[in-house]
Amino acid sequence: MSEVADGLAAARATCPALHARLAALDPAQQAAVVCTEGATLVHAQVGSGKTTVLVHRAAYLHAVRGVPLARIALLTFTTRAAAELRARLDAALGRVTSARERPLVGTFHGVACALLRQALPVEQLGYTRGFTILDDDAAAALAITAARRLKLRAGRRATLRDRLARDPALAEVAAAAAVARRAQDAMDFDELLAHATALLPAAPHARPAHVLVDEVQDCEPRDLAFLRALVGRDAQFFAVGDPAQTIYGWRGSRPALMAHAAAALGCQTRALPHSYRSTRTILEAARAVLGPQPVTSGELAPVRPHGEPLTILRHHDPLAEGAYLAARLTELHATGVPWRDLAVLCRLRVQVTDLVAALTAGAVPCVHAVELVVDGPVPEPLGDEHDASAPDAVRVSTIHAAKGLEFARVFLAGANVGLLPLHVADEDTDVAEERRLLYVALTRAREAVEISYQARPYHHHALGVPSHLLAPLPASVLGRDERRSMFEPPAPVPVVAVAVAAGWCVGQRVRHARYGTGTITALGADAIDCDFGKLGPRVFPRALCPLVVAH
């Protein structure tokens, strides 16, 4: 019998319910779940069921091969993803597991913390097992105090964590802050990984029998060091990932690190080539905008047929875009599409705030996220899309925060040059990563994607033209004359006026919630031109005028 047949037969004999689940997987997925290689890296295309394979691998090891759950480490990168892994593991096993049973199922930092509290000799580093964990604010406060004692400047609190780790000029401050934390029996998040990595080589009894990793492409060098220490010489390693979805360059992750991990851990490679989530049209569009990349996972193999073409619309400004989205989402909901199956994605946090305000004004229920909680201390304050108790609301988020999620329809807002790819003064833009980010945005959708940009964007680095990352889209994925429509305004839609005021006149003093007090400089049939001094000129449509008279 083949390895897959042997594995399925063993599952049928020991756990019929799990066997039924495994039988429903495709052959490549089954082979990955039951494989017997000591170290395996699975290249998983977007929508190929990589998390399904990972969870069923853990369930198979426990229910069929008899590995205790406490001896299985199942790691991912976000608190949301960790919660989903636990829920899906319970579903695969057909029972509710306890935290005591599966102490090593969680984020990298969560697993490191569990090892430090339960198995590793933290006393050697001057800590007790009851050590506390400092969040970023508390850790920054300690570092700033240490800097003051040394009569040094710590700089901006918001970026202090990264600068302490990378800036040699702050080495003395970092050392003093570490001493202060140890004196308080406290660790920051970076120390959880660093201390666990340092202690694991001398504590082989603390290592699990199996180490499984989701989204391994998101690893950065410190994560890889922790994995090598966790696996050691005896543990079996299994990971799934897709280099095309590497979008956390600011953390240190790179597409090539997945290959480096495979080489460092001696992995055999497998592939999940079939993509089940998105229509062929969406996948062809996503592959086109991805362009040539340093590392790829091979060609996409769409399972679904062609679907609706992509739509690209131009709006006058963010206010018009928000009003259009509110009307369009309401229209779709009226046809029976649940709110939770609709998502509005964008590049920046400030865009999320503006979009939520616009949709709320249009009576569209929203939940929103401005960033992905990557191994942080507080779970995301949003219901998971698989959770029946999650609110029925449109998801509004940055593209980063939407990674790992899927929706029937996705609306990508503000796809302007300067926003996507993002332009930041005095910094080089990694265009390849921006292409991967767009790839991730498109492939969140199962059925349809609508992209919009603004002729008069508010963001000071944005230009009023569509992102050049959209240029590779082939005519076959766009509606008729869609390329022409990229440069023409969208068809008018019913909108709700926001604070419309009559009787405007040139020279009138007005107030805007963001720009403050300004002066009307010109009036047109459809637009009002204003000057806000140092913030410059702005144009607002009359039908969506956010101005009020300044008193």
Side-chain angles (χ1 to χ4, degrees):
M1 296 177 69
S2 67
E3 183 177 71
V4 172
D6 288 341
L8 292 177
R12 183 188 296 110
T14 56
C15 187
L18 178 60
H19 172 266
R21 284 176 165 268
L22 298 180
L25 303 180
D26 71 29
Q29 294 169 336
Q30 291 174 341
V33 167
V34 305
C35 71
T36 57
E37 292 102 342
T40 302
L41 181 64
V42 180
H43 287 263
Q45 296 285 8
V46 63
S48 62
K50 59 181 172 54
T51 305
T52 295
V53 165
L54 191 79
V55 167
H56 283 80
R57 170 75 173 175
Y60 176 80
L61 290 173
H62 174 63
V64 179
R65 295 193 185 174
V67 181
L69 287 178
R71 299 278 290 148
I72 299 174
L74 183 54
L75 295 92
T76 188
F77 288 88
T78 71
T79 52
R80 182 191 70 211
E84 181 180 352
L85 284 181
R86 289 189 284 267
R88 293 176 68 167
L89 180 61
D90 287 354
L93 292 173
R95 66 181 182 86
V96 177
T97 60
S98 67
R100 185 179 297 273
E101 282 183 277
R102 41 159 180 74
L104 303 183
V105 178
T107 65
F108 274 66
H109 286 81
V111 169
C113 181
L115 289 170
L116 290 167
R117 291 199 188 282
Q118 299 170 19
L120 295 174
V122 293
E123 299 82 4
Q124 294 180 8
L125 301 178
Y127 295 93
T128 70
R129 293 198 184 278
F131 64 86
T132 58
I133 304 172
L134 301 179
D135 62 19
D136 284 349
D137 286 340
L142 266 183
I144 290 171
T145 300
R148 287 172 180 166
R149 288 175 181 169
L150 293 168
K151 298 182 179 180
L152 296 172
R153 295 188 62 182
R156 294 179 57 224
R157 178 185 291 256
T159 60
L160 186 54
R161 176 183 174 184
D162 287 338
R163 287 186 292 109
L164 285 173
R166 295 178 173 86
D167 189 348
L170 292 176
E172 190 176 2
V173 174
V179 171
R181 289 192 297 270
R182 188 174 289 106
Q184 295 185 14
D185 196 24
M187 298 183 196
D188 65 17
F189 295 112
D190 292 334
E191 285 175 320
L192 292 174
L193 278 183
H195 292 333
T197 301
L199 293 173
L200 273 166
H205 63 281
R207 293 195 185 103
H210 291 266
V211 177
L212 286 72
V213 183
D214 195 15
E215 304 280 14
V216 71
Q217 79 278 351
D218 292 337
C219 279
E220 48 103 352
R222 289 174 294 187
D223 300 324
L224 290 181
F226 174 67
L227 282 180
R228 286 193 292 268
L230 188 63
V231 173
R233 295 182 178 179
D234 300 321
Q236 293 196 346
F237 178 76
F238 184 93
V240 296
D242 179 9
Q245 297 187 65
T246 307
I247 58 174
Y248 300 117
W250 51 271
R251 290 185 66 237
S253 60
R254 297 288 185 272
L257 284 177
M258 188 165 164
H260 293 164
L265 297 167
C267 294
Q268 299 292 318
T269 58
R270 291 177 173 270
L272 300 179
H274 297 101
S275 185
Y276 295 92
R277 177 191 302 152
S278 305
T279 65
R280 181 178 292 270
T281 297
I282 292 172
L283 291 179
E284 288 178 357
R287 187 64 188 88
V289 300
L290 186 62
Q293 292 282 333
V295 179
T296 61
S297 297
E299 291 300 315
L300 286 166
V303 171
R304 299 187 59 195
H306 286 94
E308 296 181 33
L310 274 67
T311 300
I312 302 176
L313 296 176
R314 182 179 72 174
H315 297 288
H316 179 75
D317 63 7
L319 287 171
E321 184 178 57
Y324 168 82
L325 288 169
R328 178 68 174 134
L329 293 167
T330 300
E331 176 188 32
L332 288 168
H333 182 64
T335 67
V337 181
W339 293 118
R340 65 162 55 93
D341 233 356
L342 302 169
V344 179
L345 308 183
C346 55
R347 181 64 177 85
L348 296 176
R349 300 179 186 184
V350 66
Q351 293 174 278
V352 171
T353 302
D354 292 343
L355 286 165
V356 168
L359 297 187
T360 301
V364 175
C366 305
V367 292
H368 61 281
V370 296
E371 63 182 328
L372 192 63
V373 180
V374 181
D375 251 357
V378 254
E380 287 184 331
L382 299 174
D384 187 84
E385 75 280 10
H386 299 290
D387 182 0
S389 66
D392 186 22
V394 174
R395 176 88 172 211
V396 185
S397 79
T398 61
I399 303 172
H400 285 95
K403 184 170 174 289
L405 303 180
E406 61 178 80
F407 308 90
R409 292 174 175 267
V410 164
F411 295 81
L412 179 58
N416 287 64
V417 170
L419 289 174
L420 189 68
L422 182 65
H423 172 76
V424 180
D426 302 323
E427 292 186 19
D428 293 330
T429 299
D430 185 343
V431 176
E433 180 163 313
E434 294 288 308
R435 290 187 182 279
R436 296 193 294 271
L437 195 62
L438 180 55
Y439 174 87
V440 167
L442 299 183
T443 55
R444 298 312 93 199
R446 295 191 299 270
E447 307 297 337
V449 174
E450 185 173 298
I451 302 170
S452 57
Y453 68 100
Q454 307 142 10
R456 293 181 179 267
Y458 292 163
H459 192 274
H460 58 284
H461 287 308
L463 302 180
V465 293
S467 170
H468 62 267
L469 301 186
L470 301 174
L473 288 172
S476 60
V477 305
L478 297 171
R480 186 176 62 182
D481 295 331
E482 194 63 35
R483 283 187 176 274
R484 180 173 58 83
S485 74
M486 291 171 67
F487 302 96
E488 295 180 357
V493 297
V495 297
V496 178
V498 181
V500 174
W504 299 117
C505 61
V506 173
Q508 187 173 21
R509 298 287 285 170
V510 292
R511 180 172 293 279
H512 185 276
R514 175 181 295 174
Y515 304 118
T517 301
T519 303
I520 294 179
T521 57
L523 291 171
D526 301 312
I528 300 174
D529 289 59
C530 295
D531 181 62
F532 291 93
K534 292 182 179 180
L535 296 180
R538 292 291 186 274
V539 181
F540 306 101
R542 279 184 179 266
L544 291 166
C545 183
L547 302 173
V548 295
V549 177
H551 297 291

